[in-house]
Amino acid sequence: MVKKHRLGEPLPQSIAIVRSLPGLGDLLCTVPAWRSLRVALPKAQITLIGLPWARSFVERFSNYLDNFLEFPGYPGIPEVPLQITKLPVFFANQQQHFDLALQMHGSGIISNPFTVMLGARINAGFYMPNQYCPDAERFLPYPEYEPEVWRHLRLMEFLGIPLKGTSLEFPLREDDFAALDAIEEVRHFKNGEYVCVHPGASVRDRRWSPEKFAVVADALVTRGFQVVLTGTAVEAELTQAVQQAMRFSAIDLAGRTSLGAIAALLSNAQLLICNDTGVSHLAAALRVKSVVIFSNSDPNRWAPLERDRHRVLRQASHLDGVTPQAAIAQVELLLEEVTSVA
């Protein structure tokens, strides 16, 4: 029950969320806020306006999201090629359809005008000081120095919605494990006997070198673990480079796993070693220990919140990078915790 709030009366029963971003982490980091929203408004129909790939995300998170609407593109938002002639029809179709439109796409400099043109009864979200603020009562100054999870929870707080924790989620389904079981090399795997090494990242300068990943992977093999290299099809060159630099063999699954299958794989792994990329947030959602390398991104914003389970290593400068030995040291600490618990 929402008591003192900024959502208007009557409480909204149809809600649009604008978050049309390309990364898995972009959506996973917003789940705690959506969980709070759902508990506060259990009967509301909540629609995510996102990129095409997010349709499957909405299906997976049907406890929190009811509908999907494909983002049509908008001037200044680069994720979708702009087809300006489609916008009038898109906006006309949404007029008066939503009680509340939530701008959760970013600071709001570009996305606030898009949100307002949806024609909802009430608009809420973020804005930057000295920039366009659609409604001073319901738009929060963008908390740009907060972790990504907390940015959206601050918005829920501001709107008077009780928070329901900071933990990420990723619901696993039977078909995820079936898709993983269809890969012959992993059928014999036992829980905790393998580790995942993910050398890719969507942005090139956020990638630790394959040679450094190889040193860490070899160290894990000497500890008795099977190493599994993971990545998308376009990251196959990276996983191949890691394998070529290793002294021992690994199983390379780059391009062979769906999102559900890699989640199923991760769920039973001993730990993950990766760059700052979507798979890091997936491990956090699945409560899988990880060592995350930050080469050229902000750990204060994107690192997992649980620092006991997830160890974060940050490159100090272009010339002072994270060493394999530093990563191995964190791996050893995580493995010692497992041994002491056992």
Side-chain angles (χ1 to χ4, degrees):
M1 175 69 69
V2 181
K3 296 180 180 178
K4 187 177 179 181
H5 60 82
R6 301 171 187 254
L7 300 177
E9 296 293 348
L11 287 173
Q13 293 304 304
S14 57
I15 301 170
I17 295 173
V18 179
R19 190 159 176 81
S20 304
L21 296 171
L24 174 63
D26 293 318
L27 296 191
L28 286 177
C29 285
T30 324
V31 166
W34 295 344
R35 179 170 60 236
S36 301
L37 183 65
R38 171 57 77 200
V39 173
L41 301 170
K43 296 182 179 180
Q45 286 287 306
I46 301 176
T47 298
L48 175 66
I49 301 177
L51 302 185
W53 79 270
R55 185 183 300 274
S56 62
F57 190 94
V58 170
E59 293 170 356
R60 187 176 293 272
F61 283 85
S62 58
N63 285 346
Y64 304 144
L65 303 169
D66 300 289
N67 305 299
F68 172 77
L69 190 60
E70 185 173 332
F71 177 66
Y74 189 76
I77 296 179
E79 281 77 17
V80 174
L82 179 62
Q83 299 183 40
I84 197 73
T85 57
K86 291 186 176 181
L87 282 179
V89 175
F90 176 84
F91 288 126
N93 288 339
Q94 310 314 319
Q95 295 303 303
Q96 310 304 316
H97 183 68
F98 297 109
D99 297 326
L100 170 66
L102 280 174
Q103 187 282 104
M104 303 178 76
H105 186 86
S107 67
I109 293 176
I110 303 297
S111 49
N112 279 344
F114 172 87
T115 302
V116 170
M117 282 191 281
L118 293 170
R121 176 169 58 88
I122 294 172
N123 298 293
F126 302 107
Y127 78 100
M128 290 294 285
N130 302 316
Q131 298 290 334
Y132 171 51
C133 175
D135 184 340
E137 182 183 355
R138 298 184 176 93
F139 276 74
L140 173 70
Y142 190 52
E144 57 184 321
Y145 299 109
E146 294 266 20
E148 189 70 9
V149 169
W150 270 106
R151 293 184 191 209
H152 303 285
L153 289 175
R154 294 300 182 206
L155 178 59
M156 297 298 106
E157 280 185 330
F158 176 72
L159 295 175
I161 295 171
L163 304 188
K164 298 300 176 182
T166 61
S167 60
L168 306 189
E169 299 177 35
F170 191 86
L172 286 168
R173 307 181 302 217
E174 289 184 8
D175 62 317
D176 298 327
F177 289 96
L180 180 63
D181 193 54
I183 302 173
E184 184 175 357
E185 294 96 321
V186 302
R187 288 177 187 165
H188 65 281
F189 282 0
K190 295 181 180 179
N191 293 2
E193 292 188 354
Y194 63 94
V195 296
C196 293
V197 174
H198 191 97
S202 59
V203 179
R204 182 179 295 274
D205 61 6
R206 293 183 184 178
R207 300 172 187 164
W208 208 35
S209 74
E211 293 75 20
K212 291 180 179 178
F213 273 113
V215 173
V216 178
D218 279 332
L220 285 161
V221 174
T222 63
R223 286 291 302 260
F225 293 102
Q226 172 67 62
V227 170
V228 183
L229 304 174
T230 61
T232 64
V234 297
E235 293 169 335
E237 289 186 5
L238 292 172
T239 56
Q240 291 167 11
V242 173
Q243 175 64 96
Q244 291 168 3
M246 289 179 63
R247 293 181 293 114
F248 302 106
S249 63
I251 294 175
D252 188 350
L253 296 186
R256 300 173 61 191
T257 51
S258 62
L259 175 58
I262 196 171
L265 177 73
L266 267 178
S267 69
N268 291 321
Q270 183 64 252
L271 56 86
L272 165 73
I273 301 91
C274 64
N275 297 302
D276 167 35
T277 189
V279 73
S280 166
H281 304 290
L282 189 58
L286 296 168
R287 314 291 189 268
V288 176
K289 293 176 182 290
S290 67
V291 175
V292 188
I293 314 298
F294 280 76
S295 298
N296 190 26
S297 53
D298 182 7
N300 293 325
R301 179 177 183 181
W302 292 109
L305 296 180
E306 298 178 70
R307 296 301 175 85
D308 289 337
R309 180 181 283 122
H310 308 288
R311 303 305 174 90
V312 174
L313 294 171
R314 183 179 188 178
Q315 182 168 301
S317 69
H318 178 69
L319 299 175
D320 186 17
V322 176
T323 66
Q325 291 70 32
I328 291 170
Q330 294 303 316
V331 167
E332 294 287 349
L333 289 172
L334 289 174
L335 293 178
E336 286 176 9
E337 291 178 4
V338 173
T339 303
S340 62
V341 170

